[in-house]
């Protein structure tokens, strides 16, 4: 499996079942990458970013307010983590130069990355760890905790594999770290951020279309977290053709939105009811909306010059709301007028 093609992509990887919690760190060392720090570390719990470090600031900082609870038990936590990241930063700079020698490279843009962490099943108590390196978008070396050996997918990693396989003390430490230390920290973080990590908000789903010949958009907004999927299906089977999926985007209130488009230009009227738009939130919750012309929100006009049914319905609602607003406003204005006085004209200005 290819690793680390882009950090922002990795941050969007969907998690598994909700009872499986994860603590992951993505470490990126860059060589000759303009406008990008030489070294970046991003920490995530259940795919939600909790920490950040880069070579420009040289400080590990929390990305969630609840992460500050960690200092209640360890007042020097952030300083200690910053010192560790600074030391690792120097090691990564050396490793990039070693990678260039191994791959016979003299210059250019290169990325050396590490991904490590653990998973914990809060129902069974089972834990699992992972530790792997990638170079220029490809796997370089991976730790197999079950056999306590390193796997080298490429020839250039074989010398490293032999060296690390012979370091039994180091292997014993990694096994202890990923089965004891990492899960313990993960459990703390989950407890600190339980209200955020367990939050599940389903979206409102709408059907949108600019014109009868445009793609039909199924739009979901207001959901949380951002670990979600959205797709069209026909007769209970997921569609892959004539479908365009959009990205998950943030809303101003911290929730998210996304959309998926369907080409309906060739659909017969009798087939519309066979299609449904499905939103699936991590954890199994779903919202399904069947394709119905009456539910489409649009502003295009019909052949006789009138508005489409969706636009008419929206216009009627808007007009009623406007009328009600005017009545309420007039009532408030009347109530505020002083009793026993009448308004007069004046030529004075202030």
């Amino acid at each position: 499996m290819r690793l680390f093609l882009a950090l922002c992509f990795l941050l969007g990887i969907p998690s598994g079942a909700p009872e499986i919690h994860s603590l992951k760190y993505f470490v990126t060392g860059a060589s000759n990458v303009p406008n990008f720090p030489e070294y970046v570390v991003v920490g995530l719990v259940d795919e939600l970013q909790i920490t950040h470090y880069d070579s420009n600031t040289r400080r590990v900082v929390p990305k969630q307010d609840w992460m500050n609870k960690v200092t209640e038990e360890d007042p020097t936590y952030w300083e200690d983590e910053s010192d560790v990241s600074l030391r690792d930063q120097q090691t990564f700079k050396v490793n990039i130069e070693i990678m260039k020698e191994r791959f016979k490279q003299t210059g250019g843009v290169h990325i050396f990355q590490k991904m490590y962490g653990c998973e914990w099943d809060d129902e069974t108590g089972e834990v699992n760890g992972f530790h792997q390196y990638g170079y220029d978008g490809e796997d370089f070396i991976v730790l197999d905790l079950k056999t306590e050996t390193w796997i080298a997918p490429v020839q250039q990693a074989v010398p490293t594999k032999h060296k690390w396989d012979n370091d039994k003390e180091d292997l014993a430490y990694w096994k202890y770290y990923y089965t004891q230390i990492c899960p313990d920290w993960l459990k703390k973080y989950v407890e600190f951020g339980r209200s955020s990590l367990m939050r599940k908000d389903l979206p409102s789903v709408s059907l949108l279309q600019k014109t009868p010949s445009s793609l039909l958009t199924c739009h979901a907004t207001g959901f949380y977290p951002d670990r979600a999927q959205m797709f069209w299906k026909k007769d209970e089977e997921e569609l892959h053709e004539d479908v365009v999926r959009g990205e998950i985007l943030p809303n101003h209130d911290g929730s998210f939105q996304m959309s998926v488009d369907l080409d309906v230009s060739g659909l017969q009227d009798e087939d519309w009811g066979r299609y449904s738009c499905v939103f699936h939130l991590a954890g199994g919750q779903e919202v399904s909306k069947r394709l119905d012309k009456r539910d489409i929100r649009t502003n295009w006009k019909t052949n006789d010059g009138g508005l489409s049914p969706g636009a008419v319905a929206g216009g009627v609602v808007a007009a009623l709301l406007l009328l009600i607003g005017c009545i309420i406003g007039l009532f408030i204005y009347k109530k505020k007028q002083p009793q026993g006085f009448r308004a007069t004209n004046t030529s004075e200005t202030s």
Side-chain angles (χ1 to χ4, degrees):
M1 181 183 69
R2 296 194 173 191
L3 284 176
F4 314 115
L5 295 181
L7 185 59
C8 59
F9 169 76
L10 288 169
L11 296 181
I13 296 176
S15 68
E19 69 272 8
I20 304 296
H21 300 286
S22 65
L23 172 60
K24 299 178 183 178
Y25 289 95
F26 293 98
V27 185
T28 303
S31 176
N32 298 321
V33 178
N35 303 319
F36 190 80
E38 288 185 338
Y39 186 75
V40 177
V41 184
V42 175
L44 302 95
V45 170
D46 293 352
E47 313 304 338
L48 182 68
Q49 186 178 356
I50 60 168
T51 60
H52 177 89
Y53 172 93
D54 65 58
S55 53
N56 293 338
T57 62
R58 298 191 174 189
R59 298 287 301 173
V60 176
V61 295
K63 301 302 289 185
Q64 303 294 329
D65 291 340
W66 47 263
M67 273 297 293
N68 286 304
K69 294 180 181 179
V70 73
T71 56
E72 296 175 2
E73 297 182 8
D74 186 356
T76 63
Y77 175 86
W78 298 110
E79 290 77 9
D80 295 342
E81 289 296 298
S82 297
D83 290 341
V84 170
S85 294
L86 183 59
R87 291 195 298 269
D88 288 346
Q89 175 183 328
Q90 302 305 319
T91 301
F92 249 62
K93 291 181 68 174
V94 174
N95 285 337
I96 287 181
E97 296 306 316
I98 294 175
M99 293 296 100
K100 290 181 180 179
E101 293 180 6
R102 295 271 182 92
F103 286 88
K104 302 187 184 320
Q105 298 164 336
T106 56
V109 174
H110 299 287
I111 302 292
F112 183 47
Q113 293 180 290
K114 175 172 69 173
M115 188 273 285
Y116 68 99
C118 56
E119 293 179 338
W120 162 58
D121 189 323
D122 65 0
E123 292 186 353
T124 66
E126 182 181 356
V127 296
N128 182 40
F130 38 86
H131 188 143
Q132 51 200 103
Y133 293 84
Y135 183 65
D136 286 351
E138 302 288 343
D139 284 345
F140 181 75
I141 194 167
V142 181
L143 175 62
D144 186 337
L145 280 176
K146 293 182 179 180
T147 62
E148 297 184 44
T149 59
W150 291 88
I151 300 172
V154 294
Q155 186 64 34
Q156 290 85 349
V158 172
T160 302
K161 168 184 165 55
H162 292 327
K163 180 180 179 180
W164 290 357
D165 279 350
N166 291 327
D167 192 339
K168 302 302 181 182
E169 183 177 349
D170 195 54
L171 285 169
Y173 168 77
W174 286 125
K175 184 172 183 178
Y176 176 74
Y177 176 82
Y178 288 119
T179 57
Q180 300 293 328
I181 299 177
C182 184
D184 286 346
W185 279 110
L186 172 57
K187 293 173 185 178
K188 286 184 180 181
Y189 297 150
V190 169
E191 188 59 34
F192 291 158
R194 183 169 295 277
S195 60
S196 296
L197 296 171
M198 304 303 175
R199 174 185 167 191
K200 295 287 189 297
D201 294 339
L202 290 173
S204 60
V205 179
S206 303
L207 300 177
L208 311 173
Q209 190 178 32
K210 293 181 179 180
T211 69
S213 60
S214 302
L215 293 176
L216 181 66
T217 298
C218 184
H219 182 255
T221 185
F223 63 87
Y224 188 92
D226 62 346
R227 302 188 298 277
Q229 294 179 331
M230 200 169 179
F231 53 89
W232 282 98
K233 65 179 183 180
K234 177 183 178 182
D235 296 335
E236 306 306 318
E237 291 188 10
E238 183 176 345
L239 294 176
H240 299 284
E241 296 182 357
D242 300 324
V243 173
V244 179
R245 288 182 173 84
E247 297 180 357
I248 296 179
L249 302 174
N251 289 325
H252 68 281
D253 61 356
S255 64
F256 298 91
Q257 61 173 295
M258 68 185 304
S259 62
V260 57
D261 297 339
L262 176 67
D263 185 357
V264 296
S265 59
L267 291 189
Q268 301 297 321
D269 290 344
E270 60 270 18
D271 291 332
W272 278 62
R274 300 170 63 187
Y275 290 79
S276 296
C277 172
V278 179
F279 173 89
H280 182 90
L281 190 65
Q285 295 174 292
E286 283 190 352
V287 176
S288 179
K289 193 171 187 66
R290 188 165 295 278
L291 184 54
D292 189 328
K293 289 184 178 181
R294 294 169 296 181
D295 292 336
I296 299 175
R297 298 170 60 183
T298 182
N299 58 2
W300 54 269
K301 295 183 178 181
T302 59
N303 292 332
D304 59 2
L307 292 174
S308 66
V312 170
V316 170
V317 172
L320 286 174
L321 291 176
L322 180 60
L323 178 59
I324 293 171
C326 291
I327 295 173
I328 294 174
L330 180 60
F331 175 76
I332 294 174
Y333 173 77
K334 289 287 187 181
K335 293 286 287 183
K336 287 185 176 180
Q337 286 299 304
Q339 298 299 317
F341 288 89
R342 296 176 60 186
T344 60
N345 296 325
T346 177
S347 60
E348 294 179 349
T349 59
S350 59

